[in-house]
């Protein structure tokens, strides 16, 4: 069975660690030296068996939601907006390179937590063969 949290964490850390954009499962934790303007929180949103043969699961779908938080002042400038779009693409590419599918585009959720950060939501799926016959 795939450790989906580890797969997400590794993909995001590999892509974003150089920029000190840290990723957290379920909630943000303060990290010394972290980028103060950006961070990611991801949650697992589903774990379903999707294909069956003789009442045995063949394929399992792992669903996760990635929340990219960025300082609410970034969208005020062209440079800031470009940085946000570039980071979103970087996150999506990291997930795709790790075998995830991104079924929808990035969703701009605004300041959903009232913490001075806007949020871009990215839903992703990872399909795992759990029984190859």
């Amino acid at each position: 069975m795939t450790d989906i949290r580890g797969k997400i964490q590794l993909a995001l850390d590999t892509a974003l660690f150089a920029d000190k954009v840290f990723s957290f499962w379920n909630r943000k934790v303060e990290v010394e030296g972290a980028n103060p303007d950006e961070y990611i929180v991801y949650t697992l949103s589903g774990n379903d068996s999707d294909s069956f043969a003789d009442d045995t699961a063949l394929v399992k779908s792992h669903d996760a939601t990635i929340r990219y938080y960025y300082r609410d002042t970034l969208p005020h400038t062209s440079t800031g907006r470009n940085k946000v779009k570039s980071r979103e693409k970087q996150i999506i590419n990291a997930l795709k390179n790790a075998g995830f599918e991104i079924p929808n585009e990035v969703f701009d959720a605004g300041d959903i937590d009232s913490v001075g950060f806007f949020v871009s939501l990215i839903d992703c799926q990872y399909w795992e063969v759990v029984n190859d016959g």
Side-chain angles (χ1 to χ4, degrees):
M1 188 71 71
T2 299
D3 175 16
I4 201 68
R5 284 185 7 212
K7 196 165 193 58
I8 293 169
Q9 189 72 51
L10 180 61
L12 296 175
D13 284 352
T14 301
L16 304 170
F17 188 76
D19 295 331
K20 299 195 186 296
V21 177
F22 292 103
S23 303
F24 306 95
W25 175 56
N26 281 339
R27 66 183 175 95
K28 181 185 179 208
V29 177
E30 293 302 320
V31 176
E32 188 173 327
N35 183 331
D37 296 327
E38 302 172 272
Y39 63 93
I40 296 170
V41 174
Y42 62 93
T43 54
L44 305 182
S45 52
N47 196 6
D48 301 318
S49 297
D50 288 329
S51 181
F52 296 89
D54 297 328
D55 292 326
T56 302
L58 298 175
V59 178
K60 188 169 278 270
S61 169
H62 302 276
D63 301 321
T65 301
I66 312 300
R67 290 173 187 83
Y68 164 54
Y69 288 81
Y70 54 91
R71 189 74 65 185
D72 61 1
T73 56
L74 280 174
H76 295 278
T77 66
S78 174
T79 302
R81 288 188 298 276
N82 288 335
K83 180 178 182 176
V84 168
K85 289 299 171 196
S86 176
R87 187 72 74 203
E88 290 169 348
K89 287 179 187 175
Q90 190 179 15
I91 293 165
I92 288 170
N93 287 336
L95 293 167
K96 284 182 175 180
N97 289 338
F100 287 87
E101 293 181 21
I102 312 295
N104 302 308
E105 294 294 317
V106 175
F107 176 74
D108 178 11
D111 186 5
I112 60 175
D113 296 327
S114 297
V115 293
F117 285 81
F118 288 159
V119 180
S120 295
L121 297 172
I122 303 166
D123 289 322
C124 62
Q125 296 176 324
Y126 185 82
W127 296 86
E128 174 186 18
V129 174
V130 293
N131 185 352
D132 56 11

Short mmCIF file of all heavy atoms in Angstrom, two decimals, residues 37-39 68-75 80 84 88 108-110 116-120:
data_model
loop_
_atom_site.label_atom_id
_atom_site.label_comp_id
_atom_site.label_asym_id
_atom_site.label_seq_id
_atom_site.Cartn_x
_atom_site.Cartn_y
_atom_site.Cartn_z
N ASP A 37 6.18 34.23 3.44
CA ASP A 37 5.11 34.65 2.54
C ASP A 37 4.36 33.51 1.86
O ASP A 37 3.35 33.75 1.20
CB ASP A 37 5.68 35.57 1.47
CG ASP A 37 6.21 36.86 2.05
OD1 ASP A 37 5.65 37.35 3.05
OD2 ASP A 37 7.21 37.38 1.52
N GLU A 38 4.85 32.28 2.00
CA GLU A 38 4.23 31.16 1.30
C GLU A 38 4.38 29.88 2.11
O GLU A 38 5.41 29.66 2.74
CB GLU A 38 4.91 30.91 -0.05
CG GLU A 38 4.91 32.06 -1.01
CD GLU A 38 5.78 31.74 -2.22
OE1 GLU A 38 7.00 32.01 -2.16
OE2 GLU A 38 5.24 31.21 -3.19
N TYR A 39 3.35 29.04 2.07
CA TYR A 39 3.44 27.70 2.63
C TYR A 39 2.31 26.85 2.06
O TYR A 39 1.39 27.37 1.43
CB TYR A 39 3.43 27.71 4.17
CG TYR A 39 2.17 28.24 4.80
CD1 TYR A 39 1.13 27.39 5.17
CD2 TYR A 39 2.01 29.60 5.06
CE1 TYR A 39 -0.02 27.88 5.77
CE2 TYR A 39 0.87 30.09 5.66
CZ TYR A 39 -0.15 29.23 6.01
OH TYR A 39 -1.28 29.72 6.60
N TYR A 68 -2.27 25.98 -1.24
CA TYR A 68 -1.10 26.84 -1.35
C TYR A 68 -1.46 28.21 -0.78
O TYR A 68 -2.31 28.91 -1.32
CB TYR A 68 -0.65 26.94 -2.81
CG TYR A 68 0.29 28.08 -3.10
CD1 TYR A 68 1.46 28.25 -2.37
CD2 TYR A 68 0.01 28.99 -4.11
CE1 TYR A 68 2.33 29.30 -2.63
CE2 TYR A 68 0.87 30.03 -4.38
CZ TYR A 68 2.02 30.19 -3.64
OH TYR A 68 2.87 31.24 -3.91
N TYR A 69 -0.86 28.58 0.35
CA TYR A 69 -1.11 29.86 1.02
C TYR A 69 -0.04 30.86 0.59
O TYR A 69 1.15 30.54 0.60
CB TYR A 69 -1.03 29.70 2.54
CG TYR A 69 -2.19 28.95 3.14
CD1 TYR A 69 -2.23 27.55 3.13
CD2 TYR A 69 -3.23 29.63 3.75
CE1 TYR A 69 -3.30 26.87 3.71
CE2 TYR A 69 -4.30 28.96 4.33
CZ TYR A 69 -4.32 27.57 4.30
OH TYR A 69 -5.37 26.90 4.87
N TYR A 70 -0.48 32.05 0.23
CA TYR A 70 0.47 33.12 -0.12
C TYR A 70 -0.04 34.44 0.45
O TYR A 70 -1.24 34.67 0.57
CB TYR A 70 0.68 33.21 -1.64
CG TYR A 70 -0.59 33.36 -2.45
CD1 TYR A 70 -1.09 34.61 -2.77
CD2 TYR A 70 -1.28 32.23 -2.87
CE1 TYR A 70 -2.26 34.74 -3.51
CE2 TYR A 70 -2.45 32.35 -3.60
CZ TYR A 70 -2.93 33.60 -3.92
OH TYR A 70 -4.08 33.74 -4.64
N ARG A 71 0.91 35.28 0.84
CA ARG A 71 0.60 36.56 1.48
C ARG A 71 -0.40 37.33 0.64
O ARG A 71 -0.28 37.41 -0.59
CB ARG A 71 1.89 37.34 1.67
CG ARG A 71 1.80 38.58 2.49
CD ARG A 71 1.67 38.34 3.94
NE ARG A 71 2.84 37.71 4.52
CZ ARG A 71 2.90 37.32 5.78
NH1 ARG A 71 1.87 37.52 6.58
NH2 ARG A 71 3.96 36.74 6.24
N ASP A 72 -1.42 37.90 1.27
CA ASP A 72 -2.50 38.58 0.54
C ASP A 72 -2.04 39.85 -0.19
O ASP A 72 -2.79 40.40 -0.99
CB ASP A 72 -3.68 38.88 1.46
CG ASP A 72 -3.34 39.80 2.62
OD1 ASP A 72 -2.18 40.25 2.74
OD2 ASP A 72 -4.25 40.07 3.43
N THR A 73 -0.83 40.29 0.04
CA THR A 73 -0.31 41.45 -0.68
C THR A 73 0.30 41.09 -2.03
O THR A 73 0.46 41.96 -2.88
CB THR A 73 0.75 42.18 0.17
OG1 THR A 73 1.78 41.25 0.53
CG2 THR A 73 0.13 42.78 1.43
N LEU A 74 0.62 39.82 -2.24
CA LEU A 74 1.25 39.42 -3.51
C LEU A 74 0.41 39.77 -4.74
O LEU A 74 0.96 40.25 -5.74
CB LEU A 74 1.60 37.93 -3.50
CG LEU A 74 2.88 37.55 -2.76
CD1 LEU A 74 3.04 36.03 -2.71
CD2 LEU A 74 4.09 38.18 -3.41
N PRO A 75 -0.90 39.55 -4.75
CA PRO A 75 -1.68 39.84 -5.95
C PRO A 75 -1.82 41.33 -6.28
O PRO A 75 -2.38 41.68 -7.31
CB PRO A 75 -3.06 39.25 -5.65
CG PRO A 75 -2.83 38.26 -4.58
CD PRO A 75 -1.70 38.80 -3.78
N GLY A 80 3.98 40.06 -8.23
CA GLY A 80 3.40 39.15 -7.25
C GLY A 80 2.45 38.15 -7.86
O GLY A 80 2.47 36.97 -7.53
N VAL A 84 2.80 34.02 -7.94
CA VAL A 84 1.77 33.08 -7.50
C VAL A 84 1.46 32.07 -8.60
O VAL A 84 1.42 30.86 -8.36
CB VAL A 84 0.48 33.83 -7.08
CG1 VAL A 84 -0.68 32.86 -6.90
CG2 VAL A 84 0.72 34.62 -5.80
N GLU A 88 2.07 28.03 -8.46
CA GLU A 88 0.99 27.07 -8.70
C GLU A 88 1.41 26.04 -9.75
O GLU A 88 1.20 24.84 -9.56
CB GLU A 88 -0.28 27.79 -9.15
CG GLU A 88 -0.94 28.61 -8.07
CD GLU A 88 -2.05 29.52 -8.57
OE1 GLU A 88 -2.18 29.71 -9.81
OE2 GLU A 88 -2.79 30.05 -7.73
N ASP A 108 -9.03 29.48 -6.94
CA ASP A 108 -8.66 30.59 -6.07
C ASP A 108 -9.74 30.74 -5.01
O ASP A 108 -10.87 31.12 -5.30
CB ASP A 108 -8.51 31.87 -6.88
CG ASP A 108 -8.17 33.08 -6.05
OD1 ASP A 108 -7.83 32.92 -4.85
OD2 ASP A 108 -8.22 34.20 -6.59
N ALA A 109 -9.38 30.46 -3.74
CA ALA A 109 -10.36 30.49 -2.66
C ALA A 109 -10.31 31.77 -1.84
O ALA A 109 -11.11 31.95 -0.93
CB ALA A 109 -10.15 29.29 -1.74
N GLY A 110 -9.39 32.67 -2.12
CA GLY A 110 -9.28 33.91 -1.36
C GLY A 110 -8.74 33.66 0.03
O GLY A 110 -8.05 32.68 0.29
N GLY A 116 -4.68 36.49 6.67
CA GLY A 116 -3.82 37.38 5.91
C GLY A 116 -3.13 36.70 4.74
O GLY A 116 -2.20 37.25 4.15
N PHE A 117 -3.59 35.50 4.40
CA PHE A 117 -3.04 34.76 3.27
C PHE A 117 -4.19 34.36 2.36
O PHE A 117 -5.25 33.95 2.83
CB PHE A 117 -2.33 33.48 3.74
CG PHE A 117 -0.99 33.71 4.36
CD1 PHE A 117 -0.89 34.11 5.68
CD2 PHE A 117 0.17 33.52 3.63
CE1 PHE A 117 0.34 34.32 6.27
CE2 PHE A 117 1.40 33.73 4.21
CZ PHE A 117 1.49 34.13 5.53
N PHE A 118 -3.97 34.47 1.05
CA PHE A 118 -4.91 33.93 0.09
C PHE A 118 -4.55 32.47 -0.12
O PHE A 118 -3.43 32.04 0.16
CB PHE A 118 -4.85 34.68 -1.23
CG PHE A 118 -5.45 36.06 -1.19
CD1 PHE A 118 -5.10 37.01 -2.14
CD2 PHE A 118 -6.36 36.43 -0.22
CE1 PHE A 118 -5.64 38.28 -2.12
CE2 PHE A 118 -6.92 37.70 -0.18
CZ PHE A 118 -6.55 38.63 -1.15
N VAL A 119 -5.50 31.71 -0.67
CA VAL A 119 -5.31 30.27 -0.84
C VAL A 119 -5.67 29.85 -2.26
O VAL A 119 -6.73 30.22 -2.78
CB VAL A 119 -6.17 29.47 0.15
CG1 VAL A 119 -5.97 27.97 -0.03
CG2 VAL A 119 -5.88 29.89 1.57
N SER A 120 -4.79 29.06 -2.85
CA SER A 120 -5.09 28.38 -4.11
C SER A 120 -5.29 26.91 -3.77
O SER A 120 -4.45 26.30 -3.10
CB SER A 120 -3.93 28.52 -5.10
OG SER A 120 -3.77 29.85 -5.48
#
